Amino acid sequence: MNLLFKIGFLEISIVNIIDITLVSMLLYQVYKLLRGSVAIKIFLGFLSIYLIYLMVSALKMELLSIILGQFMGVGVIAAIIIFAPEIRKFLLIIGRSSILSNENVLQELLFWRKRETQAFNINPIIDAAKSLSGTNMGALMVISRNSELKFYAESGDLMDALVSKRLLISIFNKYSPLHDGAVIIYNGKVKAARCILPVTERDVPAQFGLRHRAAIGMSEATDTLVLIVSEETGQISLARNGKILHNLSFQEVREFINDYLTGVDIDDKFEPVTVYERNRSKSNRSTSSAS
């Protein structure tokens, strides 16, 4: 059994070490998934009841053990119902990171085709963002490098048009019937406009409106880079993997989009949304002390 060492009557093997490590990693990922949401309190409540159940069982309190045992018997079903959004998000993360999530993977495996790069001319996106920002015209652009996002594209109006500055500006014009929603850009084309995006369920700073919440939610659910133009301030933001970079310059936006499309890992450069709440609190305190 590849015994490593013994602690009292416990025999520790390599398999035990691997098992404990994998369980620790799984619990840490569950904590990261639930952190900052109401679900973490419910999870701690379930854990507390389970620990009480173990304690009363060890003390042989039969009546209380029976009551808590019945509760724990249906606990799995109750947990699935209560944590349905978190379970769905967890499965989305697994599916997004899987090699099978690539729509062309079967062709690549069967025919040994070299994967084509999804980089394209992003100048129209940057130019449109400049014009929209300068006129405080809100915009939401989802940029994808490995999927057409058909599920989300079908929630809006399909277009399949080449990306151009004038097209994006006309879509997000406040008098356009297509401005209310997001555009999906894939492989140099606007696949759809007026698309409905999933809104994040986490707590976000009050400075972020519905457009930013939708961008964060979309970046949580898919392997995309989402560009936001604020309607109130005209500032440019990017969302990726549930994190966000706020008030970027156009040169920074260009670099991030180019790196994303060419496969460069940019995830570490993004910050959790809670950082902005802390920074805002610090600035408020410093302003109060100065006055």
Side-chain angles (χ1 to χ4, degrees), residues 156-198:
D157 296 324
L158 299 177
M159 300 185 68
D160 199 32
L162 290 174
V163 176
S164 69
K165 174 184 175 181
R166 279 181 283 189
L167 175 61
L168 292 173
I169 292 176
S170 63
I171 288 174
F172 290 111
N173 187 299
K174 62 181 66 177
Y175 300 107
S176 168
L178 299 176
H179 84 280
D180 191 14
V183 298
I184 293 176
I185 300 173
Y186 170 70
N187 203 17
K189 290 186 177 181
V190 176
K191 288 296 179 179
R194 204 176 60 84
C195 299
I196 300 173
L197 305 185

Side-chain angles (χ1 to χ4, degrees), residues 30-49:
V30 171
Y31 169 73
K32 285 178 60 179
L33 188 67
L34 299 179
R35 183 177 57 187
S37 66
V38 179
I40 188 66
K41 298 179 181 179
I42 301 175
F43 176 75
L44 293 175
F46 269 108
L47 184 61
S48 300
I49 294 175

Side-chain angles (χ1 to χ4, degrees), residues 12-277:
I12 307 299
S13 66
I14 297 177
V15 175
N16 298 137
I17 298 296
I18 296 174
D19 188 23
I20 294 172
T21 303
L22 292 176
V23 170
S24 302
M25 292 172 60
L26 178 62
L27 290 177
Y28 177 68
Q29 293 300 324
V30 171
Y31 169 73
K32 285 178 60 179
L33 188 67
L34 299 179
R35 183 177 57 187
S37 66
V38 179
I40 188 66
K41 298 179 181 179
I42 301 175
F43 176 75
L44 293 175
F46 269 108
L47 184 61
S48 300
I49 294 175
Y50 180 67
L51 293 176
I52 294 173
Y53 169 70
L54 293 178
M55 184 174 62
V56 298
S57 297
L59 295 175
K60 296 182 179 181
M61 299 180 180
E62 297 183 1
L63 182 59
L64 197 54
S65 296
I66 293 174
I67 295 173
L68 293 178
Q70 293 294 326
F71 180 81
M72 297 305 301
V74 297
V76 175
I77 299 176
I80 292 175
I81 296 173
I82 294 174
F83 296 110
E86 283 72 23
I87 294 173
R88 179 177 178 273
K89 188 184 300 182
F90 182 69
L91 295 176
L92 281 170
I93 293 173
I94 294 176
R96 185 181 65 187
S97 60
S98 172
I99 187 175
L100 298 178
S101 62
N102 188 350
E103 295 177 352
N104 299 319
V105 68
L106 292 179
Q107 292 181 352
E108 293 175 7
L109 292 177
L110 293 177
F111 302 105
W112 298 91
R113 293 175 56 188
K114 184 178 180 181
R115 185 175 176 181
E116 298 179 357
T117 178
Q118 299 299 328
F120 56 88
N121 182 17
I122 65 169
N123 286 332
I125 298 176
I126 303 300
D127 293 340
K130 289 180 181 178
S131 297
L132 294 168
S133 174
T135 56
N136 280 27
M137 198 176 297
L140 192 55
M141 307 180 199
V142 180
I143 304 171
S144 176
R145 67 183 174 195
N146 56 15
S147 173
E148 296 184 17
L149 303 173
K150 293 180 179 179
F151 175 79
Y152 298 102
E154 290 173 355
S155 68
D157 296 324
L158 299 177
M159 300 185 68
D160 199 32
L162 290 174
V163 176
S164 69
K165 174 184 175 181
R166 279 181 283 189
L167 175 61
L168 292 173
I169 292 176
S170 63
I171 288 174
F172 290 111
N173 187 299
K174 62 181 66 177
Y175 300 107
S176 168
L178 299 176
H179 84 280
D180 191 14
V183 298
I184 293 176
I185 300 173
Y186 170 70
N187 203 17
K189 290 186 177 181
V190 176
K191 288 296 179 179
R194 204 176 60 84
C195 299
I196 300 173
L197 305 185
V199 178
T200 183
E201 297 178 358
R202 294 186 300 161
D203 292 332
V204 298
Q207 70 188 88
F208 294 148
L210 183 59
R211 188 174 282 112
H212 289 81
R213 292 178 63 89
I216 296 170
M218 186 66 173
S219 69
E220 289 174 337
T222 60
D223 183 26
T224 57
L225 183 68
V226 188
L227 186 151
I228 314 106
V229 180
S230 173
E231 187 173 350
E232 289 77 18
T233 63
Q235 293 177 343
I236 308 293
S237 304
L238 289 173
R240 169 81 177 154
N241 280 340
K243 298 179 180 179
I244 196 167
L245 282 176
H246 192 49
N247 195 17
L248 297 171
S249 68
F250 295 109
Q251 181 59 34
E252 290 174 323
V253 173
R254 182 186 298 275
E255 292 174 358
F256 277 115
I257 295 178
N258 276 326
D259 288 345
Y260 166 75
L261 291 175
T262 54
V264 177
D265 187 8
I266 59 175
D267 293 353
D268 294 339
K269 299 179 182 179
F270 284 74
E271 299 175 332
V273 293
T274 52
V275 172
Y276 297 94
E277 190 67 46

